[in-house]
Amino acid sequence: MATAAPLQLHADRLLPCDPVVRDVARRLHLQVRDLPVVSPHGHVPASWLAEDAPFRDPTSLLITPDHYVTRLLHAHGVDLADLGVGRSEADGPLDEAASRRAFRLLCSHWSVYRGTPVRYWLEVQLAELFGVRVRPSADTADEIYDEVAAALADEAFRPRALYDRFGIEVLATTDDPCDDLAAHHALTEDPTWHGRVVPTFRPDRYLEVGAPGWNALADRLGEVSRVGTGTWAGFLAALQDRRDHFRAHGAVSADHSHADARADKLTQPEASDLFDLARRGELTPAGATALRRHLVWEMARMSAEDGLVMTLHPGVHRDHHTPTAARFGHDVGCDIPRTVEFPAALKPVLDDFGTHPVFQLVLFTLDETTFSREVAPLAGFYPSVYAGAPWWFLDAPDAIRRYRAAVTETAGFSKTSGFIDDTRAFCSIPARHDMARRLDAGHLAQLVVEHRLEEDEAAETIVDLTTTTPRKAFRL
Amino acid sequence: MATAAPLQLHADRLLPCDPVVRDVARRLHLQVRDLPVVSPHGHVPASWLAEDAPFRDPTSLLITPDHYVTRLLHAHGVDLADLGVGRSEADGPLDEAASRRAFRLLCSHWSVYRGTPVRYWLEVQLAELFGVRVRPSADTADEIYDEVAAALADEAFRPRALYDRFGIEVLATTDDPCDDLAAHHALTEDPTWHGRVVPTFRPDRYLEVGAPGWNALADRLGEVSRVGTGTWAGFLAALQDRRDHFRAHGAVSADHSHADARADKLTQPEASDLFDLARRGELTPAGATALRRHLVWEMARMSAEDGLVMTLHPGVHRDHHTPTAARFGHDVGCDIPRTVEFPAALKPVLDDFGTHPVFQLVLFTLDETTFSREVAPLAGFYPSVYAGAPWWFLDAPDAIRRYRAAVTETAGFSKTSGFIDDTRAFCSIPARHDMARRLDAGHLAQLVVEHRLEEDEAAETIVDLTTTTPRKAFRL
Amino acid sequence: MATAAPLQLHADRLLPCDPVVRDVARRLHLQVRDLPVVSPHGHVPASWLAEDAPFRDPTSLLITPDHYVTRLLHAHGVDLADLGVGRSEADGPLDEAASRRAFRLLCSHWSVYRGTPVRYWLEVQLAELFGVRVRPSADTADEIYDEVAAALADEAFRPRALYDRFGIEVLATTDDPCDDLAAHHALTEDPTWHGRVVPTFRPDRYLEVGAPGWNALADRLGEVSRVGTGTWAGFLAALQDRRDHFRAHGAVSADHSHADARADKLTQPEASDLFDLARRGELTPAGATALRRHLVWEMARMSAEDGLVMTLHPGVHRDHHTPTAARFGHDVGCDIPRTVEFPAALKPVLDDFGTHPVFQLVLFTLDETTFSREVAPLAGFYPSVYAGAPWWFLDAPDAIRRYRAAVTETAGFSKTSGFIDDTRAFCSIPARHDMARRLDAGHLAQLVVEHRLEEDEAAETIVDLTTTTPRKAFRL
């Protein structure tokens, strides 16, 4: 067997090719390389940090929960079940042999990740965090598996130790409105814990009044809030109660992801009538859509009152492949983006709260066409609106460059959200934030070399983008 | 206080980073750097040049009328009233103290313009025109204000002197069909005036038959044209009369900006019936849209007959924030782009006039997706169609590069419109045209260095883009 | 007269500007420069190779049949008739004098092609294939015409000699379902022929049940297949019969190009009822659209059964300019792209066959917005889906770069289709494939220099993209 190819991270990775621009970018990156991580939106469970239990094995840490990783293997014919996807609590995670087989599937398909950010994040994790020095392949899979598994057994790889090592200043989780936030509470009560983990209010399921199971969710909301949800007024009060609960546990934002961005306003009697129909199970699909859109407007109203920053992540076909969703559940990689429209959709919210002193709205999109056409023009006029960082499929080097090129000329830098990792993959957080910093350094360096910005201004800007910008957009 | 940062314009600004490409671009830019400015579409009032009165103060010249400048300050919480926006004739402009305060607001928010073309244009104006040598900031605001104010008091900063200094060959204004064009007339009659200022026929308000106040406008059109507008035939004749009036005063184009680009044809009886309903105030919104779309077709027909180049600037939500429009009026920075569709929308016009020897149609868009998908394919087939330069939010370095990259491969260079400044900011005109020339130089230089074009061809092309191209597209 | 400008091909043409990146790109291009051409989709007639007759003259080879060439001349006022477009069999091709005049029109308009791929392909053909050493212009037109005409008289310029010289490994044609494929058959029976020319099943006209003449086509389908097409079941059986005929003659794919990508499923009774109405000439436009969409689903079903790769080229306004289509017929340059939507449109097909072991689906688009939003996410999840190469107006250097930048980060390289020339211009085939290889080399070189990929991986990738990738996507 030939010697395995080495795995090496170059200090200049992701910086621009031109040597003069790269020099400037290197200096700019140095300004922010070691600054703390501000992560205002993501999907790491708070319980990991509250419990601080060791991670179980390489596959359940790096592969199974990460649909960015699993979807491309699936596209090459790998069965998601072989990666541990969709297993019930009763099943438990893959056993040692199956976990090792899954890891071999990843390594033997290493070439399919060429040119993707998934490869970049995994490489940085393997090389920097786990000290792996060989390129993943069928031949090196077991060696790498062993190396990662050995590291995970070490105290230094417990969640809290990693939180410190990653330099995280604040980490937001994403939580169901009925969640008691016990893990968040445990952390704040724990005198040995010095980090900051804040919940995020994510009420989508409670606003999709036409979805199966909604009535049970509305009931549950009533139980948890101890506010009767039999009436429209009660339902709104219960939602406000849970928002207050979240705020009391440190939440700074409420996140919303529906098929579109619309927030069409109904009169209160109209909304109340539709709500009553919904509770009786008699609502038409059109009525359900109308009430959901109105509820988004109500969420904006509450944000203007209680100060939770409103974030929108609209425009996804969830569970596009019905048989996969039926077999494996949600969030397993078969969500597909769709076109989205913001200005008409959000006019009711922006007419009412666009210049409200408390209201803040961050717009994320998977439809790049909206960056220059809609998102930047909105953020460049409304004091309340921020242009969200590239999300999901667009959280990738070339897409991030396109975002900066499309947004900056209309909205500048200071009406953007700062980087959002939005990840379930805890160990990828520093790699993701560093990637964004490198790309911002490259973008700014080009402006400097084209004499569109002085270098002292670029240096100040990249520090802002890493610190004050996300803190302002998310009220941190 | 520390020494203020200097404000310096680099000779290579906006040229590509790569040294070899930059060298070529520098040579190409030199070919056109000092050529006259051809400005076939913009919003400078002809009265400024007719009256040649001194500009009043820095704020009313550089800030108040320029929604590019004011909107980004508004996005950072500045009240538009503090910038002098929306003041009535009775109010008059801001007084000296308020004007100075407004200028301080601009300078103290200088960092929010980083990466925007607004900053670039202002910098060039401050440095080249007004001789400012310090970077705007809260500390330098008063010093810069004084410097600009002192310059404005000088004869050399009167509008006509600047017209000459800017090397303007022709400047188009944008005018209401009922305008008597007295200022244009005064200029042509003035033996001391040697420039060329031409009006542009902009009939939008007269075609929006469903808008409040339309009947009064139709009456006024009848009075001014002395053609009765009580009938459909009369209304068309009155519009043609005003087009003739504009042509007699030098107009070369008619400009149209509606929510969409549609030009659906009605039969004359259908149009006549809808017109009668409109005049009686009984037209439905659907009827108003149908008649407006047909009127766009009639405008195309008239363009094919009288030779006024038809320009389309469709696809904007005007006055997106209702409270701002109510308080400050139109064109104050809260217009937001929307998607636009050209091929189906324009089929009736192009079937009838697409190969007509007189008809010319220039398509502008704020929806970049149409550049490669619709605009370039249309301009690359129809002799009448030209791909308009990037407009408004897209009149910016990176967007202009995307435009050239998206349009050229299908439509070449010679079916584009040449640069359009479309500005109210008179002093920014040379900076804007020079920006476009620098970016064209960069685009062409890359083609040369990639051996897709010889340098002699690139040199000829950039001269054409600056001279023959806009003259041909606009029949100048 | 001045000496004519030379026509020279630079060895580094289309490679990136930066010297370091260019060096890497040059090495990568060398890996694939001389590899055979795999052309899985195009429009060269099989009869050319079966008959191996000499090409008649420069104009009928390089201008008349190539709407890429003729449309831009038309956009500059040239009458398509003067280029030989739209002539009937009875008319025959242009005579010598007219052919020469047409060639002069091309050469005297040479500047209008600056920046277009048409110029690039023609230059490579003229310089490499025909040995032309002067730049086309009014002055050099006759000289070049003579040079090309002289070459065409040579045995070495017969179609089969060129096929060998071009290094073609396999060439797909595009054929009507009722075609007897006699030319393909003749080639396989010819012991002196060693190439591979395969037909492609293109049933669009038979699925457009609402178009004029469809009933005659359905009758003809019945005659040719000897399966009665008077019933829905018979019609489907007849289509399957012709697919089998194509497969027996080497076909590997079936190509579909309708106004949209929808494949909405009807029940068999619904489809049968609509079919009966269609056969009686009583189908409404809505019914015709519904049945056409269902037929696309049936084509997908058959592809899952018989293994013909399904390729979609949707979203074009065919014959946008009615008078031109009336005078000159189809495919003469007035087709204009439109927006397209894939995920909802294809859900019925992907729910049923998205993970089917036999089904393969290649998605082409002229709507670039779908690359990152739809095509790459679909190809990055569904094992059956491949992201088709940039098509038609997008088969151009900058567009190809945008495609790689938009698709790779989500779908990698191995779920793309490989390059598709899709051309009628036989002599341009090597120039087109080489262009794609140069651009892939440039894209990969940038990844290498940005330390996102090692050079050995990039070298393996570009070889794959040229060999295994198209063979896998098209089952070659």
Side-chain angles (χ1 to χ4, degrees):
Chain A
M1 191 182 96
T3 310
L7 180 66
Q8 287 166 322
L9 299 184
H10 197 285
D12 289 336
R13 62 190 182 275
L14 295 181
L15 300 187
C17 294
D18 180 88
V20 174
V21 184
R22 183 173 283 189
D23 269 355
V24 177
R26 215 184 266 135
R27 290 196 294 271
L28 294 174
H29 179 242
L30 268 184
Q31 298 277 334
V32 294
R33 193 187 60 185
D34 301 321
L35 290 182
V37 165
V38 175
S39 177
H41 182 79
H43 295 271
V44 170
S47 58
W48 288 8
L49 291 155
E51 296 164 9
D52 201 30
F55 292 112
R56 196 177 174 281
D57 63 74
T59 293
S60 66
L61 177 65
L62 298 175
I63 301 176
T64 308
D66 192 344
H67 54 70
Y68 290 75
V69 174
T70 59
R71 73 191 312 276
L72 209 47
L73 291 174
H74 180 266
H76 286 84
V78 172
D79 191 326
L80 292 176
D82 291 339
L83 304 172
V85 175
R87 297 174 70 85
S88 69
E89 297 251 336
D91 294 336
L94 294 175
D95 64 25
E96 164 68 15
S99 167
R100 194 174 280 273
R101 273 198 303 274
F103 204 83
R104 265 185 228 131
L105 283 168
L106 173 68
C107 293
S108 63
H109 283 83
W110 194 241
S111 69
V112 310
Y113 293 98
R114 288 177 189 164
T116 71
V118 177
R119 171 193 156 110
Y120 179 86
W121 298 320
L122 285 171
E123 270 193 352
V124 177
Q125 289 172 75
L126 292 175
E128 280 209 334
L129 192 58
F130 296 107
V132 172
R133 293 285 169 268
V134 293
R135 185 189 295 171
S137 70
D139 289 339
T140 61
D142 282 337
E143 169 189 348
I144 297 173
Y145 186 92
D146 291 337
E147 209 162 348
V148 174
L152 293 181
D154 193 295
E155 288 289 321
F157 286 79
R158 293 281 185 91
R160 290 192 182 187
L162 291 177
Y163 181 99
D164 289 340
R165 175 168 170 178
F166 295 166
I168 298 175
E169 179 179 302
V170 56
L171 181 72
T173 62
T174 299
D175 310 274
D176 189 277
C178 289
D179 194 309
D180 60 9
L181 305 177
H184 295 82
H185 184 70
L187 281 168
T188 52
E189 297 294 301
D190 182 345
T192 69
W193 167 250
H194 306 289
R196 182 178 177 196
V197 177
V198 301
T200 299
F201 187 75
R202 173 76 172 259
D204 295 355
R205 298 195 301 156
Y206 299 83
L207 312 191
E208 294 282 3
V209 296
W214 175 79
N215 257 300
L217 287 170
D219 290 344
R220 170 96 179 115
L221 183 68
E223 288 158 24
V224 171
S225 64
R226 301 186 188 178
V227 180
T229 54
T231 66
W232 170 241
F235 185 72
L236 290 180
L239 283 168
Q240 184 63 65
D241 175 84
R242 298 311 296 165
R243 294 175 67 104
D244 295 342
H245 179 73
F246 272 64
R247 286 174 59 230
H249 285 78
V252 296
S253 72
D255 186 44
H256 306 273
S257 182
H258 299 287
D260 59 53
R262 285 173 66 173
D264 305 344
K265 223 162 128 179
L266 303 171
T267 64
Q268 292 299 320
E270 285 168 344
S272 182
D273 287 351
L274 291 176
F275 181 82
D276 292 344
L277 287 169
R279 283 304 247 158
R280 291 202 303 271
E282 297 168 6
L283 196 55
T284 62
T289 299
L291 187 54
R292 184 258 288 167
R293 290 173 177 164
H294 176 77
L295 275 162
V296 172
W297 181 88
E298 294 282 358
M299 292 294 103
R301 177 187 59 75
M302 291 184 196
S303 276
E305 289 170 5
D306 65 22
L308 285 182
V309 173
M310 183 176 208
T311 63
L312 290 191
H313 287 89
V316 184
H317 296 268
R318 298 281 174 187
D319 304 329
H320 186 267
H321 191 233
T322 309
T324 294
R327 187 170 161 216
F328 296 102
H330 305 298
D331 299 323
V332 299
C334 62
D335 297 346
I336 304 289
R338 64 203 309 165
T339 55
V340 74
E341 194 278 343
F342 288 111
L346 294 172
K347 186 159 172 40
V349 159
L350 293 172
D351 268 348
D352 288 344
F353 312 114
T355 56
H356 189 286
V358 174
F359 185 63
Q360 288 188 198
L361 176 64
V362 187
L363 303 179
F364 296 93
T365 185
L366 292 167
D367 179 355
E368 294 188 60
T369 70
T370 63
F371 283 150
S372 75
R373 190 181 60 223
E374 303 175 12
V375 173
L378 289 167
F381 173 75
Y382 286 101
S384 56
V385 177
Y386 291 79
W391 172 44
W392 198 340
F393 297 109
L394 302 179
D395 180 8
D398 293 322
I400 290 175
R401 288 168 177 159
R402 292 195 296 272
Y403 163 81
R404 284 282 179 223
V407 167
T408 308
E409 296 185 323
T410 292
F413 293 101
S414 45
K415 290 305 296 293
T416 60
S417 70
F419 181 67
I420 305 295
D421 60 64
D422 192 32
T423 192
R424 285 166 170 73
F426 183 53
C427 293
S428 74
I429 287 177
R432 287 173 191 252
H433 284 260
D434 182 62
M435 181 173 101
R437 294 172 188 187
R438 289 172 179 273
L439 294 163
D440 283 343
H443 179 75
L444 288 160
Q446 188 183 338
L447 294 184
V448 169
V449 177
E450 291 183 359
H451 305 290
R452 294 158 73 181
L453 204 62
E454 298 295 327
E455 189 168 337
D456 70 301
E457 297 175 294
E460 191 180 85
T461 300
I462 197 166
V463 171
D464 280 346
L465 287 175
T466 313
T467 57
T468 56
T469 303
R471 283 189 203 124
K472 184 174 163 225
F474 281 88
R475 288 225 174 84
L476 283 163
Chain B
M1 193 182 97
T3 309
L7 181 66
Q8 288 167 321
L9 299 185
H10 197 285
D12 290 337
R13 61 190 183 275
L14 295 180
L15 300 187
C17 294
D18 181 89
V20 175
V21 184
R22 183 173 284 189
D23 268 356
V24 178
R26 215 184 267 135
R27 290 196 294 271
L28 295 174
H29 178 241
L30 266 183
Q31 298 277 335
V32 294
R33 194 187 58 186
D34 301 320
L35 291 182
V37 164
V38 175
S39 177
H41 183 80
H43 296 271
V44 170
S47 58
W48 288 8
L49 291 156
E51 296 164 9
D52 201 30
F55 293 111
R56 196 177 174 283
D57 63 75
T59 293
S60 65
L61 177 65
L62 299 175
I63 302 176
T64 308
D66 193 344
H67 55 67
Y68 290 74
V69 174
T70 59
R71 75 191 311 274
L72 209 47
L73 291 174
H74 180 266
H76 287 84
V78 172
D79 191 327
L80 292 177
D82 291 339
L83 303 172
V85 175
R87 297 172 70 85
S88 67
E89 296 251 336
D91 293 337
L94 294 175
D95 64 24
E96 163 69 16
S99 167
R100 195 174 278 277
R101 274 198 303 274
F103 203 83
R104 264 185 229 130
L105 283 168
L106 173 68
C107 293
S108 62
H109 284 83
W110 194 242
S111 69
V112 309
Y113 293 98
R114 287 176 188 163
T116 71
V118 178
R119 169 194 157 110
Y120 179 86
W121 297 321
L122 285 171
E123 269 192 354
V124 176
Q125 290 172 76
L126 292 175
E128 282 209 333
L129 192 58
F130 297 107
V132 172
R133 293 284 169 268
V134 295
R135 184 190 296 172
S137 70
D139 289 339
T140 61
D142 283 337
E143 170 187 347
I144 297 173
Y145 186 91
D146 292 337
E147 208 163 351
V148 175
L152 294 181
D154 192 295
E155 287 289 322
F157 285 81
R158 293 281 185 90
R160 291 192 183 186
L162 291 178
Y163 182 99
D164 288 340
R165 174 167 172 179
F166 294 168
I168 299 176
E169 178 179 302
V170 57
L171 181 72
T173 62
T174 300
D175 310 274
D176 189 278
C178 289
D179 194 308
D180 59 10
L181 307 177
H184 296 81
H185 185 70
L187 281 168
T188 51
E189 296 294 301
D190 182 345
T192 70
W193 166 250
H194 305 289
R196 182 177 177 197
V197 177
V198 300
T200 300
F201 187 75
R202 174 75 173 259
D204 296 354
R205 299 194 300 156
Y206 299 82
L207 311 190
E208 293 283 3
V209 297
W214 175 78
N215 257 299
L217 286 170
D219 290 344
R220 169 98 178 115
L221 182 67
E223 287 157 25
V224 170
S225 65
R226 301 184 189 180
V227 180
T229 54
T231 66
W232 171 241
F235 185 72
L236 291 181
L239 284 167
Q240 184 64 65
D241 174 84
R242 297 312 295 165
R243 293 174 67 103
D244 295 341
H245 180 73
F246 272 63
R247 287 175 58 229
H249 285 78
V252 296
S253 71
D255 186 44
H256 306 273
S257 181
H258 300 286
D260 59 52
R262 285 174 66 174
D264 305 345
K265 223 161 127 181
L266 303 172
T267 63
Q268 292 299 322
E270 286 168 343
S272 182
D273 287 352
L274 290 176
F275 181 82
D276 292 344
L277 287 168
R279 285 303 249 157
R280 292 203 302 271
E282 295 169 4
L283 195 57
T284 61
T289 299
L291 187 54
R292 183 258 289 166
R293 289 174 179 165
H294 176 77
L295 274 162
V296 172
W297 181 88
E298 294 283 358
M299 291 294 103
R301 176 186 59 76
M302 292 184 196
S303 276
E305 290 170 5
D306 65 22
L308 286 182
V309 173
M310 183 177 207
T311 63
L312 290 191
H313 287 89
V316 183
H317 296 269
R318 299 281 174 185
D319 304 329
H320 187 266
H321 190 232
T322 309
T324 293
R327 188 171 160 215
F328 296 103
H330 305 298
D331 300 324
V332 298
C334 62
D335 296 347
I336 304 289
R338 64 204 307 167
T339 55
V340 74
E341 194 277 343
F342 288 110
L346 294 173
K347 186 161 173 36
V349 159
L350 292 172
D351 269 348
D352 288 343
F353 312 114
T355 56
H356 189 286
V358 174
F359 185 62
Q360 287 190 197
L361 176 64
V362 188
L363 303 179
F364 296 93
T365 184
L366 292 167
D367 179 354
E368 294 189 60
T369 70
T370 63
F371 283 150
S372 74
R373 190 181 60 224
E374 304 175 14
V375 173
L378 289 168
F381 173 75
Y382 287 100
S384 56
V385 177
Y386 291 79
W391 172 43
W392 198 341
F393 297 109
L394 303 179
D395 179 9
D398 293 322
I400 290 174
R401 288 168 178 160
R402 294 195 296 272
Y403 162 82
R404 284 282 177 222
V407 166
T408 309
E409 297 185 322
T410 292
F413 292 101
S414 44
K415 290 304 298 292
T416 60
S417 70
F419 180 67
I420 305 295
D421 59 64
D422 192 32
T423 192
R424 284 166 171 73
F426 183 53
C427 293
S428 74
I429 287 177
R432 287 173 192 250
H433 284 260
D434 182 61
M435 181 173 102
R437 294 173 188 187
R438 289 171 179 273
L439 294 162
D440 282 343
H443 179 74
L444 287 160
Q446 188 183 337
L447 294 184
V448 170
V449 177
E450 291 182 1
H451 306 289
R452 294 157 74 181
L453 203 61
E454 298 296 326
E455 191 169 337
D456 70 301
E457 298 175 294
E460 192 180 85
T461 300
I462 197 166
V463 171
D464 280 346
L465 288 175
T466 312
T467 56
T468 55
T469 304
R471 283 189 203 127
K472 186 175 161 222
F474 281 88
R475 288 226 174 84
L476 283 164
Chain C
M1 192 184 96
T3 310
L7 180 68
Q8 287 167 321
L9 299 184
H10 197 286
D12 289 337
R13 61 190 183 275
L14 295 180
L15 300 187
C17 294
D18 181 88
V20 176
V21 184
R22 183 173 284 190
D23 269 354
V24 178
R26 216 183 266 135
R27 290 196 293 271
L28 295 174
H29 179 241
L30 268 182
Q31 298 277 333
V32 294
R33 194 188 58 186
D34 301 321
L35 291 182
V37 164
V38 176
S39 177
H41 182 79
H43 296 270
V44 170
S47 59
W48 289 7
L49 290 156
E51 297 164 10
D52 202 30
F55 292 112
R56 195 177 175 282
D57 62 74
T59 294
S60 66
L61 177 66
L62 298 175
I63 301 177
T64 308
D66 193 344
H67 55 68
Y68 290 75
V69 174
T70 58
R71 73 192 312 276
L72 209 47
L73 291 174
H74 180 265
H76 286 84
V78 173
D79 190 327
L80 292 176
D82 291 340
L83 304 171
V85 175
R87 297 173 70 84
S88 68
E89 296 251 335
D91 294 336
L94 294 176
D95 64 24
E96 163 69 15
S99 167
R100 195 175 278 275
R101 274 198 303 276
F103 204 82
R104 266 185 228 132
L105 283 168
L106 173 68
C107 293
S108 62
H109 284 83
W110 195 242
S111 68
V112 309
Y113 293 98
R114 287 176 188 164
T116 71
V118 178
R119 171 192 156 111
Y120 179 86
W121 297 320
L122 285 172
E123 270 191 353
V124 177
Q125 290 172 75
L126 291 176
E128 281 209 335
L129 193 56
F130 297 106
V132 173
R133 292 286 169 267
V134 294
R135 185 189 295 172
S137 71
D139 290 338
T140 62
D142 283 336
E143 169 188 348
I144 297 173
Y145 186 92
D146 291 337
E147 208 162 351
V148 175
L152 294 181
D154 194 294
E155 288 290 321
F157 285 79
R158 293 280 185 91
R160 289 193 184 185
L162 291 178
Y163 182 98
D164 288 340
R165 174 167 172 180
F166 295 166
I168 299 176
E169 178 179 304
V170 57
L171 181 73
T173 62
T174 299
D175 309 274
D176 188 278
C178 289
D179 194 307
D180 59 10
L181 305 177
H184 296 81
H185 185 70
L187 281 168
T188 53
E189 295 295 301
D190 181 346
T192 69
W193 166 251
H194 305 290
R196 182 176 176 198
V197 177
V198 301
T200 299
F201 187 75
R202 175 75 173 260
D204 296 354
R205 299 194 299 156
Y206 300 82
L207 311 190
E208 294 282 2
V209 296
W214 174 78
N215 257 300
L217 287 169
D219 290 343
R220 168 98 179 114
L221 183 69
E223 288 156 24
V224 170
S225 65
R226 300 182 189 180
V227 180
T229 53
T231 66
W232 170 241
F235 185 72
L236 291 181
L239 283 168
Q240 184 64 67
D241 174 84
R242 298 310 297 165
R243 293 174 67 103
D244 295 342
H245 179 73
F246 272 63
R247 286 175 58 230
H249 284 79
V252 296
S253 71
D255 186 43
H256 306 273
S257 181
H258 300 286
D260 59 52
R262 285 174 66 174
D264 305 345
K265 221 162 130 180
L266 303 171
T267 64
Q268 292 299 322
E270 285 168 343
S272 182
D273 287 352
L274 290 176
F275 180 83
D276 293 343
L277 288 170
R279 283 305 246 158
R280 293 202 302 270
E282 297 168 4
L283 195 56
T284 62
T289 299
L291 187 53
R292 184 257 289 167
R293 288 173 178 165
H294 176 78
L295 275 163
V296 172
W297 181 88
E298 293 283 358
M299 291 294 104
R301 176 187 59 76
M302 292 184 196
S303 276
E305 289 170 6
D306 65 23
L308 286 182
V309 173
M310 184 177 207
T311 63
L312 291 191
H313 287 89
V316 184
H317 296 269
R318 298 282 174 185
D319 304 328
H320 187 267
H321 190 233
T322 308
T324 294
R327 186 169 161 217
F328 296 102
H330 305 298
D331 300 324
V332 298
C334 63
D335 296 347
I336 304 289
R338 63 205 309 167
T339 55
V340 74
E341 195 278 343
F342 289 111
L346 294 173
K347 187 160 172 38
V349 159
L350 292 172
D351 269 349
D352 289 343
F353 312 114
T355 56
H356 189 286
V358 174
F359 186 63
Q360 287 189 198
L361 176 64
V362 187
L363 303 179
F364 296 93
T365 186
L366 293 168
D367 179 355
E368 295 189 59
T369 70
T370 63
F371 283 151
S372 74
R373 189 181 61 224
E374 304 175 12
V375 173
L378 289 168
F381 173 75
Y382 287 100
S384 57
V385 178
Y386 291 79
W391 173 44
W392 199 339
F393 298 108
L394 302 179
D395 179 8
D398 293 322
I400 289 174
R401 288 169 177 160
R402 294 195 296 272
Y403 162 81
R404 284 283 177 222
V407 166
T408 310
E409 296 184 324
T410 292
F413 292 100
S414 44
K415 289 306 297 293
T416 60
S417 69
F419 180 67
I420 306 295
D421 59 65
D422 192 31
T423 193
R424 285 167 171 72
F426 182 52
C427 293
S428 75
I429 287 177
R432 288 173 192 251
H433 284 260
D434 182 62
M435 179 173 102
R437 293 173 189 187
R438 288 171 179 273
L439 294 163
D440 282 344
H443 179 74
L444 288 160
Q446 187 183 338
L447 295 184
V448 170
V449 178
E450 291 183 358
H451 306 289
R452 294 157 75 180
L453 204 61
E454 298 295 326
E455 191 169 335
D456 70 301
E457 298 175 294
E460 191 180 85
T461 300
I462 197 166
V463 172
D464 280 346
L465 287 175
T466 313
T467 57
T468 56
T469 303
R471 282 188 203 127
K472 186 175 162 222
F474 281 87
R475 289 226 173 82
L476 283 163

